[in-house]
Amino acid sequence: MPRTKKKNGRGGQHGNVQPFSDEDASIETLSHCSSFSDVTSVADEGGEASEDTAQEDFQYKLKGFIDSTVDKSAKTRQGALDGLKTAMATRILYEFISERRMTITDSIERCLKKGKGEEQRAAASLACLLCIQLGSGIESEEVLKTLKPIFKNILADGSANIQARQAVSTYLFSHDHCCFLVDGTCPSISPQTSQLYTNALLSWALLLTICTASQLKDILRKYLPKLPRLLESEDVNMRIAAGETIALLFELARDMDTFDDWDELCDKLNALATDCNKHRAKTDKRKQRSVFRDVLKAVEEGDFQSETIRFGTERMTIDSWVRKRTYDAFREFVGSGMNYHLQANEFIRDVFELGPPILVDSATMKAMKISRFERHLHNSAAFKARTKARSKFRDKRVDVGEF
């Protein structure tokens, strides 16, 4: 933001504040900041702004967002929350945020209490990103201590906005909203309420990844026999969440003999993996069949279809359901910034046992950019060649038809 606009930037005067656009997000994801920054590329590309000036302008924009979270306009407050969310998803801002942690937490608390719908959703998501930025220490614990009672109230309030409750259920697991696991039912509910239950189930599954052996044994005995009933849900996302949670439990319980209806479960999973129900959307069926083929292998053979994630000069293998659930949970909040956080966020790197962040010098970054450019040229040439070949083939088919 240009310096000349500072006179409009205090308190509630940020009436025209705008969140980062998708284009801003993609640029920030590629741009390494803090100690991982390659801001000198601005100068290399002919820009006149120095690294310090660019950083100051960016921080000034963030301060404007923070100020605007207390604006009288709900639209302005939501725009400010979304702007902070995008910044935290695409940059490492620990020092800046740590100095303003209490202010940001107060803003989130105020928006959760006084806001409605989308504003509450944005505030709840920002709370998750704030903790991801602060890491696993006392600072995150204090944020949770402050916000947890408000989250619980929203989650328990049946009259509260459903989008707000969905967002909160992603952040905070509640046994009350996994009641369908307790009684083993699969209620017929609205799609929005189903998403609330799905989020609660996935949050519960995430907690399973850090349970002790004794806790896990009790959970398996109590819940594993009930989970298969959720596979009958009308909501494809609920069926998939239930299937992945079952696969996760079987992985965690590999050495525990705690399930008797194994054959019946495998029959259900196989039916979903080969589902040809005409009343279901084709996209839902494709998505479902792909997931349940993997779930069936996990239950029958203890197998997992591994996936390699590349980020910067590194790579990480998702080689278990535990690792997948953890990765998906982080990706839910940081979105397109996930690869950047894997590269630079010490907390996330610690969770995935990646070690300290690796510094990448400018020469290496330039080499990587050249490689990407060369790949782009190669792909463009290949695309043109395919198009040309297909055109000739279509011409021949026309000739045959006319003959």
Side-chain angles (χ1 to χ4, degrees), residues 140-210:
S140 290
E141 290 179 9
E142 290 183 356
V143 171
L144 179 59
K145 185 178 179 181
T146 300
L147 299 178
K148 186 176 179 180
I150 305 167
F151 285 147
K152 290 178 71 175
N153 289 338
I154 293 174
L155 200 54
D157 183 2
S159 63
N161 181 275
I162 190 66
Q163 290 180 321
R165 296 177 73 204
Q166 287 173 359
V168 168
S169 66
T170 303
Y171 185 88
L172 182 73
F173 168 73
S174 169
H175 283 283
D176 295 337
H177 291 85
C178 270
C179 58
F180 48 81
L181 292 180
V182 177
D183 59 19
T185 61
C186 187
S188 179
I189 51 181
S190 69
Q192 289 186 318
T193 304
S194 181
Q195 186 61 53
L196 168 64
Y197 286 146
T198 300
N199 290 352
L201 177 59
L202 291 173
S203 297
W204 181 71
L206 183 63
L207 288 178
L208 294 177
T209 65
I210 57 172

